[in-house]
Amino acid sequence: MESKNIETGASVFKSLDWITIILYLLLVGMGAVSIYAASYDFDNASLFDLSEFSGKQIMWIGLSLILGVVILLLDYRLYKIYAYLIYGVVALILLLTIFIAPNIQGSHSWLVFGPVSLQPAEFGKFATALALAKLFDSYNFSLNAKISNYFRALIIIFIPIILILLQNETGSALVYVSLIFVLYREGMSGLVLFSIFCAVTFFVVAVKFTEYTLIGMPVGEFSVFVMILLIYSMMLLFYCKDLIIARNVILGFVISGITVAILAICGVNVNGLAYFISILAIAIIYTVLAMFHHNISRFLISISFAVVSVLFLFSVNYVFGNVLQPHQQMRIKVALGIEENIMGAGYNVNQSKIAIGSGGLSGKGFLNGTQTKLKYVPEQHTDFIFCTIGEEEGFIGASTVLILYLALILRIIHIAERQRTPFERVYAYCVISILIFHVAINVGMVIGLCPVIGIPLPFFSYGGSSLWGFTILLFILLRLDASRKERRD
C-alpha cells in the first residue's frame, strides 16, 4: 500500500504542468522582492528578516509551497467528492466571521489568532469554484436545460457575496461576480454579458455627467435615455428581423427628437424626463401591437431590455446617494474624474500615479524609488504594490510583470481546454476569471482607471491569506490536471 502511494505521488509530479508552476514561482519570488523594496527603510534590513514584511512574506511563501505539495499528494477524487462540504464549511466560517471578527477599519472580515490574522473571504474563492464545478458536473446538467439551473448556479455564487458584503468588505465580494464569465463559457446567453456591460456604462454616464442639464434633465440621464432608445431600435432589428418595425420605431424617435429641438429653440419649456418616457412608451406600445403578427418571444427580449434599463436608470441616483457609503461615493467620483480630492480619497491614487510616472522607461533602480521609500504611497506593500514596480523598474519592469500574468492566464486557458470532464474545465475557468478580475482591477485602481476597492495583486501583495488562497486555488487545478493521465492509465 505504501509503495502504491509513493508510485502515485511520483506519477503526479511527473504529470504536473511545470510551466504553470514555474510562472507561479516567478511571480511569488518577484512579489517577495517587491515587498522588500516597498517596505525598505534604509536600515539595511535583510530580505529574510522576520520582523520585516518581506521576511514574513517569505515565511508565508514557504508555508504555501508546503501546502501546495500536500494538495498535490491528495487523491484528486477528494476535491470532487467533498466539493459541497468544503463550500458549506467555508460559508459557515464566513457567516461566523460577521459576528466574531473584530472591527478593523470598519470591516469585520479578519479572524485574529494571536499574532496571525486570516481573511476567510480569500479561501471562499476556491470553495465556490469547487462547488460550481461540482454543479456543472452533475448528471445530465445543462445550464440552458431549464431556468432553475441558472438559479442553482447563481445561488452558489451569491451566497459568499452576500456574506462578505455583510462583513463590510465590498472589494472582496465583487471578485465573485467574475464567475459570471464561467456561466457564459458554459452556455449562458451573450445577452446577459451585454446587459451587464450596458448597466456599467449607464451607471458611469449617469453619475459622471450630472453637472449640466439639457431640456430640464441632467446630461448624464439624457445621454443614457438616448442610448436606451438606440439599443432598443437595434435589438428590434436584430432579434425581430423586421426592418419595417425597426424603421418605424427609429423614425418615431427621430421625428419626436426634431419636434423637441424645435420647441426648445422656440423657448418652450420641455420636460425631458416626461418626453423620453412618453416616446419610449409609444414605441413599446407600437411594438406590442405589431408583435402579434410575429414571434412574440423575440419582441419581449427588446421590450424587457428597455423597461429594465429605464428602471435601472431611476435606481442609479438612489443607490449612489443612499446605498453606497460616503467614502465609496468619493472613490467613484475620484475614479471618474468628477472630483480630485487629492488630500482625501484621491491621495493614494495620485501618489501612486506620481510614483509610476516617475519611473519612466527603465525605472530608478532597485531600492532607489523616492516615492515609495519616503512612504508617500499608503498601503504600498499590499494593494498598491504595483506602483513600487513601476517606480523602480519602470515601464519595462511593469510590462514584464503583466506579461507573466498574461502567460499564466493563457496557460490556464490551455489547461482548461484539454480537460475531459465539466468538473475540471469549469474549475479551471473559475481560476481564470478570478485571476483576470484581480489583476485588471488592482492594476486599474493603482493607475487611476478603477475605483479603489482594496483587492490585492495575486502573488505580489503582502499577506498570508491572499497568498494561501491563490495557492490553494491554483494547486487544486494542477492536481486535477495531473489526474488526466492517471485516469487514462
Side-chain angles (χ1 to χ4, degrees):
M1 184 69 178
E2 184 179 352
S3 61
K4 183 178 180 181
N5 290 336
I6 294 174
E7 183 180 348
T8 302
S11 65
V12 168
F13 286 99
K14 185 178 179 180
S15 304
L16 282 177
D17 190 274
W18 286 98
I19 295 177
T20 302
I21 292 180
I22 290 171
L23 290 170
Y24 165 81
L25 293 174
L26 283 173
L27 288 169
V28 296
M30 293 172 67
V33 174
S34 299
I35 292 170
Y36 175 69
S39 58
Y40 185 76
D41 58 4
F42 302 106
D43 288 336
N44 296 321
S46 169
L47 173 67
F48 302 95
D49 189 343
L50 292 179
S51 65
E52 301 292 331
F53 289 122
S54 59
K56 294 176 183 176
Q57 187 71 4
I58 288 177
M59 180 188 69
W60 285 114
I61 291 173
L63 293 173
S64 295
L65 293 176
I66 295 173
L67 180 62
V69 171
V70 172
I71 291 172
L72 295 176
L73 291 176
L74 290 175
D75 191 320
Y76 68 91
R77 289 174 287 238
L78 294 176
Y79 302 111
K80 182 177 178 179
I81 294 171
Y82 295 108
Y84 287 147
L85 177 62
I86 294 171
Y87 177 80
V89 170
V90 173
L92 179 61
I93 294 173
L94 287 172
L95 177 63
L96 293 175
T97 302
I98 301 171
F99 303 101
I100 65 177
N103 188 331
I104 301 176
Q105 296 181 350
S107 172
H108 295 268
S109 59
W110 291 87
L111 295 178
V112 180
F113 305 97
V116 178
S117 298
L118 293 176
Q119 188 176 24
E122 294 294 336
F123 303 99
K125 297 168 189 173
F126 81 86
T128 305
L130 284 173
L132 202 59
K134 173 81 170 180
L135 174 66
F136 277 89
D137 199 58
S138 303
Y139 177 73
N140 212 23
F141 181 90
S142 174
L143 194 61
N144 295 314
K146 47 187 177 180
I147 194 67
S148 62
N149 288 346
Y150 277 95
F151 288 107
R152 292 166 66 187
L154 290 175
I155 286 172
I156 289 176
I157 295 173
F158 278 93
I159 284 177
I161 290 178
I162 294 170
L163 293 175
I164 296 170
L165 285 175
L166 291 174
Q167 298 171 9
N168 199 21
E169 191 66 33
T170 308
S172 297
L174 289 176
V175 174
Y176 291 79
V177 177
S178 66
L179 297 177
I180 295 295
F181 291 102
V182 179
L183 305 188
Y184 174 71
R185 168 61 180 80
E186 295 302 314
M188 184 181 71
S189 171
L191 181 62
V192 177
L193 288 184
F194 177 73
S195 300
I196 294 173
F197 172 78
C198 288
V200 174
T201 303
F202 294 165
F203 181 87
V204 170
V205 173
V207 171
K208 181 174 178 61
F209 301 102
T210 57
E211 185 177 354
Y212 302 102
T213 59
L214 189 63
I215 60 172
M217 63 190 305
V219 172
E221 292 186 6
F222 178 91
S223 302
V224 172
F225 266 113
V226 171
M227 286 190 285
I228 292 173
L229 297 179
L230 290 174
I231 295 172
Y232 179 70
S233 303
M234 294 302 102
M235 291 182 73
L236 283 177
L237 184 61
F238 179 78
Y239 282 105
C240 305
K241 312 296 183 184
D242 194 316
L243 182 60
I244 296 177
I245 295 176
R247 180 201 65 189
N248 292 346
V249 170
I250 294 172
L251 283 176
F253 294 157
V254 172
I255 292 171
S256 61
I258 294 173
T259 303
V260 169
I262 294 173
L263 291 174
I265 292 172
C266 295
V268 178
N269 186 20
V270 180
N271 187 317
L273 181 60
Y275 156 71
F276 277 114
I277 294 297
S278 298
I279 64 171
L280 187 58
I282 293 171
I284 290 176
I285 291 172
Y286 171 76
T287 307
V288 170
L289 294 176
M291 75 181 185
F292 291 106
H293 303 287
H294 298 77
N295 187 335
I296 295 178
S297 62
R298 294 179 179 272
F299 288 87
L300 289 178
I301 294 174
S302 305
I303 294 172
S304 300
F305 176 86
V307 172
V308 173
S309 295
V310 172
L311 294 175
F312 175 80
L313 178 59
F314 287 156
S315 70
V316 166
N317 288 334
Y318 174 79
V319 171
F320 190 78
N322 299 282
V323 176
L324 296 180
Q325 299 296 321
H327 70 279
Q328 295 171 329
Q329 298 175 21
M330 185 57 66
R331 287 176 179 177
I332 292 175
K333 289 180 179 179
V334 170
L336 296 179
I338 300 173
E339 295 187 20
E340 291 188 357
N341 195 18
I342 294 177
M343 299 308 296
Y347 178 80
N348 288 25
V349 175
N350 183 62
Q351 294 298 326
S352 176
K353 290 194 290 186
I354 291 173
I356 294 173
S358 66
L361 178 63
S362 57
K364 298 176 180 178
F366 184 60
L367 301 181
N368 291 325
T370 54
Q371 287 292 115
T372 51
K373 295 302 163 291
L374 298 176
K375 312 300 181 186
Y376 282 113
V377 185
E379 309 298 333
Q380 61 191 22
H381 63 293
T382 54
D383 297 342
F384 282 80
I385 188 68
F386 192 73
C387 74
T388 302
I389 303 166
E391 183 181 25
E392 296 191 350
E393 310 305 328
F395 176 79
I396 295 175
S399 298
T400 301
V401 171
L402 294 179
I403 290 171
L404 285 175
Y405 277 118
L406 178 61
L408 178 62
I409 291 168
L410 291 177
R411 189 63 189 175
I412 297 175
I413 291 175
H414 173 72
I415 291 174
E417 289 301 321
R418 71 188 184 191
Q419 300 310 309
R420 298 169 179 169
T421 68
F423 183 81
E424 287 83 5
R425 184 183 66 248
V426 170
Y427 183 83
Y429 274 101
C430 287
V431 177
I432 295 166
S433 300
I434 292 170
L435 273 176
I436 291 176
F437 186 91
H438 264 273
V439 174
I441 298 301
N442 182 275
V443 174
M445 72 184 192
V446 168
I447 62 178
L449 294 180
C450 301
V452 178
I453 60 175
I455 64 172
L457 186 63
F459 312 119
F460 263 79
S461 295
Y462 171 78
S465 296
S466 174
L467 183 58
W468 273 30
F470 280 110
T471 298
I472 295 172
L473 188 71
L474 184 62
F475 274 74
I476 288 178
L477 173 62
L478 291 171
R479 182 63 185 92
L480 294 173
D481 178 61
S483 69
R484 289 183 306 113
K485 295 184 179 180
E486 290 183 45
R487 287 195 294 268
R488 186 180 64 187
D489 297 338

